[in-house]
Amino acid sequence: MSQHSRKKLTSGKKVTLGISALAASGLAVGLLVTPSAMAGGSDAAEALEQSRAAAAEASAAKTAAPRTLAASAADSTVVSDISVNGGNSARVGTANTQTITVKWTVGGGSKLYGSHASIWRGTDRDSGLKQFMNSEQFNAGTDPCVKSGDATYSCTATFKIDPQSVLTNEDAGAWKISLWAITDAATDVRTDNAKTWYLKRWSRLSSNAAPEPVAKGKTITITGKLERANWDTHKYAGYTQQTVRLQERSPAGSYATTSSHITGTSSLAGVEKQTRTATTDRCYRYKFEGTSTTPPVTATGDCVDVR
């Protein structure tokens, strides 16, 4: 991956709490603080190692703490209810920084020594790592989890992604959540793929039906253009060779698909144009179902007055 478009990760000072202090406080810990957000290449590997080191130190705090009866009764730490933005995808445009929210629940132990989520892209965290990002909470050294029951913690991590400095087009598609959770239960959670989610290039779609008004029997032309964010140029560009559906309705009815078409290429990149014969007042719009790299989008309808 080209590094010239990446924001250089600047290593920050590592802030480490002593194990004895951690054992006494019982606080969840995000021990390594860095001002970095996201980076590829060696910077991604550095962010990964920071996450691993924080997990190791939380584990050491657990080992140093006295074992309780409640801990002895708990077999395993359990992580559940993992979600990204309340769904399974995030959408980023060309200019504005987007905040991605990851939530999860930790249970199975009465005391939490640490839990953090990171997001990453690649085939393998060790040999195929392309991007790796620790959360805003991790970078600030703050606790992402709050106690929500006798042995349950609710956790929230946020990630700020600036398309102007950290993304290229190849970053669109499947990403994974790396997550670790360490409680006083016998077994901890450390997983590279707690959930797969999708980072997508923001899309937009137009529809225009003309002329308006139109005489009965004349031709109506419905023109649309499908575009998506280009993270290499930081502009929107026509999305070519994609299926868009032309939908129609009466002024008081509901939209229904009447035909499907493929968007144009070259000078007509992303463009679709269809014609209809004017018979009665009618509304038209285009709809795109989305892909693994681009979210679905529906154009605003345009109604034609037939006279």
Side-chain angles (χ1 to χ4, degrees):
M1 177 180 294
S2 173
Q3 293 299 309
H4 72 274
S5 63
R6 301 278 183 219
K7 179 170 62 177
K8 178 69 175 175
L9 182 150
T10 304
S11 297
K13 180 180 179 181
K14 294 181 179 179
V15 179
T16 304
L17 302 177
I19 290 176
S20 59
L22 288 168
S25 66
L27 293 175
V29 289
L31 302 177
L32 303 182
V33 179
T34 172
S36 73
M38 177 190 289
S42 60
D43 293 337
E46 181 181 347
L48 169 60
E49 287 308 310
Q50 290 167 350
S51 176
R52 285 175 170 170
E57 191 147 1
S59 182
K62 170 184 175 177
T63 300
R67 188 90 170 144
T68 65
L69 290 176
S72 299
D75 291 330
S76 301
T77 300
V78 177
V79 172
S80 60
D81 301 326
I82 303 167
S83 68
V84 179
N85 287 346
N88 195 42
S89 67
R91 307 170 184 185
V92 179
T94 61
N96 296 328
T97 296
Q98 296 292 321
T99 298
I100 294 173
T101 302
V102 175
K103 293 187 176 183
W104 69 101
T105 299
V106 179
S110 60
K111 186 175 182 179
L112 179 66
Y113 287 95
S115 184
H116 275 286
S118 304
I119 57 176
W120 67 286
R121 183 181 74 81
T123 55
D124 179 84
R125 287 207 320 180
D126 293 315
S127 60
L129 188 64
K130 300 296 184 181
Q131 289 270 29
F132 192 91
M133 180 180 184
N134 288 318
S135 70
E136 296 291 300
Q137 291 72 23
F138 183 95
N139 292 337
T142 58
D143 185 356
C145 304
V146 295
K147 198 164 187 177
S148 56
D150 290 341
T152 305
Y153 295 81
S154 296
C155 308
T156 301
T158 55
F159 304 81
K160 294 187 182 300
I161 297 184
D162 179 5
Q164 293 280 330
S165 60
V166 300
L167 294 177
T168 65
N169 287 340
E170 69 177 76
D171 290 321
W175 285 60
K176 302 176 181 68
I177 295 175
S178 172
L179 196 151
W180 56 266
I182 297 170
T183 73
D184 55 358
T187 303
D188 300 319
V189 171
R190 299 191 193 197
T191 176
D192 290 346
N193 190 6
K195 187 178 184 66
T196 298
W197 59 284
Y198 290 83
L199 182 65
K200 298 188 176 185
R201 296 160 61 179
W202 197 281
S203 57
R204 60 192 190 188
L205 179 60
S206 63
S207 289
N208 181 63
E212 302 175 56
V214 63
K216 188 174 183 177
K218 296 296 186 179
T219 298
I220 300 171
T221 301
I222 306 100
T223 304
K225 186 174 184 179
L226 175 63
E227 298 178 292
R228 64 173 176 169
N230 186 314
W231 293 335
D232 293 335
T233 63
H234 308 126
K235 297 178 181 179
Y236 280 85
Y239 196 7
T240 64
Q241 297 290 289
Q242 298 301 310
T243 299
V244 293
R245 308 186 192 284
L246 179 59
Q247 298 186 323
E248 304 178 28
R249 69 171 174 84
S250 65
S254 300
Y255 278 106
T257 298
T258 57
S259 57
S260 297
H261 310 279
I262 303 298
T263 57
T265 59
S266 301
S267 61
L268 296 176
V271 173
E272 177 50 37
K273 185 180 292 186
Q274 294 296 313
T275 59
R276 294 289 187 269
T277 299
T279 55
T280 60
D281 291 355
R282 199 103 177 125
C283 302
Y284 304 88
R285 72 181 186 186
Y286 285 105
K287 182 179 178 69
F288 172 61
E289 300 293 345
T291 65
S292 62
T293 61
T294 310
V297 60
T298 301
T300 301
D302 192 16
C303 297
V304 177
D305 177 20
V306 178
R307 300 179 179 178

